[in-house]
Amino acid sequence: RVFAPALKDEYTSSLTVHMEQVCLLITDKDLHEVILVGHSYGGMVVTGVAAKLRDRIRRLVYLDAALPLPGQSLYDILDLGPSPSSSRRPALPEPSPPYVEKLHYDPSRMETLPKTYIRCTKSEFSDVTHVATQRIAAAKQGWTYLELPSSHVPMADMPEKLFQILLDAAEE
């Protein structure tokens, strides 16, 4: 079964509320062995959800997504990319509450959780996601790393390939 919750409005909500929405879906439907997929900002959400509901999560999948360290916001992560003077710097989202809220979690809760990172190499955020790939390479274990020659929206560019990657992640 697949669930794709629509998160509450970014201008009147927060990262905490978005995480609570996903946690509520998981607990209300009594889901276990969940493969939690986060795209873009959704990397913040799935990280927080996995830290809270570790016993219900089987795998985390980051799809060209933010990979936060404890205490980071999405804006902190975007700031790790190219300098503001770089012509490749993507347009930043408005500083809405979910994007500036810092995520606080205990990373030790997720050490043994299998994780997949799918980096879209033609994404306007590729310089930012490169930081994630460096962290994954340094971790050396617990990660499956894949690249797609896609924009930041592989579900539109390469839907069949993305679908197969997600099915493969579910079978691991």
Side-chain angles (χ1 to χ4, degrees), residues 105-124:
Y105 69 97
D106 179 359
S108 68
R109 297 240 328 126
M110 301 184 324
E111 283 178 351
T112 61
L113 183 62
K115 296 173 266 312
T116 298
Y117 195 93
I118 305 165
R119 183 171 183 235
C120 298
T121 60
K122 295 180 181 178
S123 169
E124 63 270 29

Side-chain angles (χ1 to χ4, degrees), residues 29-144:
K29 302 246 183 236
D30 195 27
L31 302 175
H32 297 272
E33 297 293 308
V34 173
I35 297 162
L36 204 51
V37 180
H39 172 250
S40 195
Y41 155 77
M44 303 291 294
V45 177
V46 299
T47 300
V49 170
K52 289 178 181 282
L53 298 178
R54 170 60 184 100
D55 58 324
R56 291 177 180 248
I57 310 300
R58 185 170 85 193
R59 175 175 289 278
L60 280 178
V61 178
Y62 293 87
L63 176 56
D64 213 43
L67 184 59
L69 292 169
Q72 282 187 319
S73 70
L74 179 65
Y75 257 56
D76 294 333
I77 293 168
L78 291 173
D79 199 37
L80 296 174
S83 69
S85 62
S86 171
S87 62
R88 293 195 56 196
R89 186 175 186 89
L92 295 177
E94 289 186 40
S96 302
Y99 307 144
V100 296
E101 181 180 343
K102 295 184 183 297
L103 178 61
H104 298 283
Y105 69 97
D106 179 359
S108 68
R109 297 240 328 126
M110 301 184 324
E111 283 178 351
T112 61
L113 183 62
K115 296 173 266 312
T116 298
Y117 195 93
I118 305 165
R119 183 171 183 235
C120 298
T121 60
K122 295 180 181 178
S123 169
E124 63 270 29
F125 296 101
S126 64
D127 287 340
V128 176
T129 58
H130 180 70
V131 174
T133 64
Q134 292 172 326
R135 285 189 41 220
I136 292 164
K140 296 186 176 143
Q141 36 181 306
W143 284 94
T144 299

